[in-house]
């Protein structure tokens, strides 16, 4: 069930990345954010109830709320036009929490690949903080590329592999994800300049890419 939710996280991250590049309006991206945000709140609740007190299962599900709340907030801001400052500062708490989940994934769950994925999510959510919390509007295209790319790298592809039964954690896989993630971060600035719309939709601060 978590793998299915991860698939839609990949989709919403990609769409929100396109939004930050100026090709989709915040209002246009709002419904998908609301749908996925609701899913990412219902899913961990179900998994925690089914865990029957198992701390390992509960910890694996708990982090999903970080994303569920983010996407719901993005969707609400996209519809209402409310400022994204609060969402930006919330994104900072997500970025810090993601580091903790990365350490937990590596040391407790012994899942090296998802430890790297959590770290990449931490970087992405920190850029949301810079964009929204600190009002660095000029970072919008770069964050858009990063969000869209991470939607594919850290969510879409892993979800398909998990659903198909082809996912197998290994140090090699973790290193490969880290290498692609670093390349994406380095390429996000020049790609953002090339891919940004000539006349972007108003106020990306109404909702970040996000996740």
């Amino acid at each position: 069930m978590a793998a299915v939710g991860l698939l839609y996280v990949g989709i919403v991250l990609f769409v929100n990345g396109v939004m930050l590049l100026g090709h989709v309006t915040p209002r246009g991206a709002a419904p998908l954010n609301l749908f996925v945000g609701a899913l990412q709140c219902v899913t961990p609740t179900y998994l925690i109830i089914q865990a029957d007190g198992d701390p390992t299962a509960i910890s694996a599900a708990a982090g999903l709320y970080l994303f569920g709340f983010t996407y719901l907030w993005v969707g609400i801001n996209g519809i209402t036009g409310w400022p994204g400052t609060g969402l930006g500062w919330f994104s900072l708490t997500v970025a810090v929490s993601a580091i903790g989940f990365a350490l937990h994934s590596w040391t407790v769950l012994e899942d090296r690949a998802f430890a790297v994925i959590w770290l990449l999510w931490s970087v992405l959510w920190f850029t949301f903080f810079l964009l929204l919390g600190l009002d660095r509007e000029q970072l919008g295209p770069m964050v858009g590329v990063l969000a869209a790319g991470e939607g594919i790298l850290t969510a879409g592809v892993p979800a398909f592999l998990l659903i198909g039964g082809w996912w197998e954690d290994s140090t090699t896989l973790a290193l490969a994800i880290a290498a692609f993630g670093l390349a994406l971060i380095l390429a996000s600035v020049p790609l953002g300049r090339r891919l940004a719309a000539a006349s972007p939709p108003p106020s990306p601060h109404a909702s970040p890419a996000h996740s």
Side-chain angles (χ1 to χ4, degrees), residues 72-85:
L72 287 174
W73 204 331
V74 170
I76 292 170
N77 281 6
I79 292 172
T80 63
W82 290 345
T85 309

Side-chain angles (χ1 to χ4, degrees), residues 43-208:
T43 297
T45 301
Y46 171 81
L47 293 174
I48 289 171
I49 293 172
Q50 290 294 108
D52 195 27
D54 178 8
T56 301
I58 291 173
S59 64
L64 300 179
Y65 287 113
L66 297 172
F67 308 113
F69 295 160
T70 298
Y71 303 132
L72 287 174
W73 204 331
V74 170
I76 292 170
N77 281 6
I79 292 172
T80 63
W82 290 345
T85 309
L87 179 54
W89 282 94
F90 172 71
S91 296
L92 178 61
T93 69
V94 175
V96 174
S97 298
I99 296 174
F101 279 105
L103 293 173
H104 181 269
S105 182
W106 187 282
T107 59
V108 178
L109 302 181
E110 297 183 344
D111 191 330
R112 291 151 292 185
F114 264 92
V116 173
I117 287 173
W118 274 108
L119 290 176
L120 290 174
W121 286 336
S122 178
V123 171
L124 178 59
W125 260 253
F126 184 72
T127 65
F128 294 152
F129 162 66
L130 296 177
L131 175 64
L132 300 176
L134 300 186
D135 197 28
R136 303 289 177 82
E137 186 174 351
Q138 70 275 15
L139 296 178
M142 180 273 285
V143 179
V145 170
L146 195 58
E150 285 206 17
I152 298 169
L153 174 64
T154 66
V157 171
F160 272 115
L161 294 176
L162 285 165
I163 292 170
W166 301 309
W167 179 269
E168 186 173 346
D169 179 59
S170 68
T171 301
T172 300
L173 178 60
L175 290 173
I177 294 171
F180 279 112
L182 180 59
L184 175 62
I185 293 169
L186 295 175
S188 61
V189 172
L191 283 177
R193 295 194 190 104
R194 292 174 62 92
L195 299 176
S199 300
S203 184
H205 295 273
S207 54

